[in-house]
Amino acid sequence: MNSQLTFKTTSVRLFILLCSSLSLSLPCEAARKARAIFIQPPGGAPEKAVLFSSTRSEEIELPARNLSPEIQLPAGDLSLAVLTHKPATGETVNPNSPLVRIPEAWDRCILLFFPDPENKVFPAKVIPVNASKSDFRLGETRLYNVTPATVLARFADRVYRIEPGKSAVIAPPIAGSGSYQVAIDCTLPGETQPTAVCRSSWQHDPEARQILFVTPTPGRNIPRVWGVLDHEAPDSVATGKN
């Protein structure tokens, strides 16, 4: 029991470490679309968030297993408070609310919501990922390790080592569509021998971005790997409101 509690406590700390250590990506062309996902949200977590600036607010869904529908964002360098509801006229935004910054040059972004139980305004840290075509290219994968384990991942003939609380950009494993072999291992704290997490054959979609997460498994020390595909919606599908 104590080892499980220590593992869970360490995992929460690594969520925060990941949020603080990931760097923002290179700028690209200006346009404004966003999607979101809430990774392992705590019980009772909000199912939607309001992205609020002094002039505009946008509501975005927060699914836990898929990316949300795209929304439209206004132009310019954005500094958005993350709230559970739009403030009433004259209401002051709580200074402890999470803040997400989106550079003007990004034409598209994915907002990764990670649990932050210490924040009582909104229980998440938010990492904006530049999903512009010039930065997060179609066919690429981003892998986020939010466990205390060191991850060794093989995608086709490419091998990546991802330390606890870190991420990696994985090049397309093959050219075009088709299957490829995946092998993911982890070395747990205090151990020297890796443990197998995943052995499988995956399908590569060159027209999508893939985001993978290595996350704790409730009640077990061995983490699990799961992911989502990001297909861009046609311009007419993206929604947004003042």
Side-chain angles (χ1 to χ4, degrees), residues 117-148:
E118 300 300 319
N119 194 318
K120 305 306 180 184
V121 179
F122 198 104
K125 282 274 190 180
V126 187
I127 297 297
V129 175
N130 187 353
S132 307
K133 288 183 179 179
S134 61
D135 188 83
F136 190 179
R137 296 175 176 83
L138 295 175
E140 287 185 342
T141 295
R142 300 255 173 125
L143 190 154
Y144 295 87
N145 176 17
V146 291
T147 75

Side-chain angles (χ1 to χ4, degrees), residues 43-227:
E47 296 181 356
K48 295 182 180 180
V50 171
L51 308 177
F52 180 79
S53 69
S54 58
T55 59
R56 182 166 174 159
S57 66
E58 302 290 343
E59 185 177 79
I60 193 166
E61 295 179 17
L62 299 178
R65 297 294 301 173
N66 296 290
L67 292 170
S68 71
E70 288 183 340
I71 66 166
Q72 293 179 348
L73 295 175
D77 284 321
L78 300 180
S79 183
L80 304 171
V82 180
L83 308 171
T84 57
H85 64 278
K86 181 179 178 180
T89 302
E91 181 181 355
T92 302
V93 173
N94 191 314
N96 295 321
S97 62
L99 196 65
V100 58
R101 292 183 173 88
I102 302 174
E104 180 179 11
W106 292 14
D107 66 9
R108 193 168 179 277
C109 70
I110 297 172
L111 303 178
L112 305 181
F113 283 66
F114 290 92
D116 182 6
E118 300 300 319
N119 194 318
K120 305 306 180 184
V121 179
F122 198 104
K125 282 274 190 180
V126 187
I127 297 297
V129 175
N130 187 353
S132 307
K133 288 183 179 179
S134 61
D135 188 83
F136 190 179
R137 296 175 176 83
L138 295 175
E140 287 185 342
T141 295
R142 300 255 173 125
L143 190 154
Y144 295 87
N145 176 17
V146 291
T147 75
T150 298
V151 171
L152 190 67
R154 180 186 294 274
F155 295 82
D157 60 351
R158 295 185 174 93
V159 177
Y160 301 84
R161 180 186 176 93
I162 306 99
E163 300 294 335
K166 301 296 183 179
S167 66
V169 177
I170 297 167
I174 60 175
S177 302
S179 63
Y180 61 99
Q181 295 300 308
V182 175
I184 299 177
D185 297 335
C186 73
T187 303
L188 298 167
E191 297 186 359
T192 58
Q193 296 300 315
T195 299
V197 176
C198 174
R199 297 286 188 277
S200 186
S201 177
W202 291 3
Q203 290 293 317
H204 177 56
D205 186 346
E207 297 301 318
R209 303 170 183 85
Q210 181 174 228
I211 302 179
L212 295 178
F213 303 96
V214 181
T215 61
T217 303
R220 297 182 59 205
N221 282 348
I222 304 303
R224 65 191 181 102
V225 59
W226 59 279

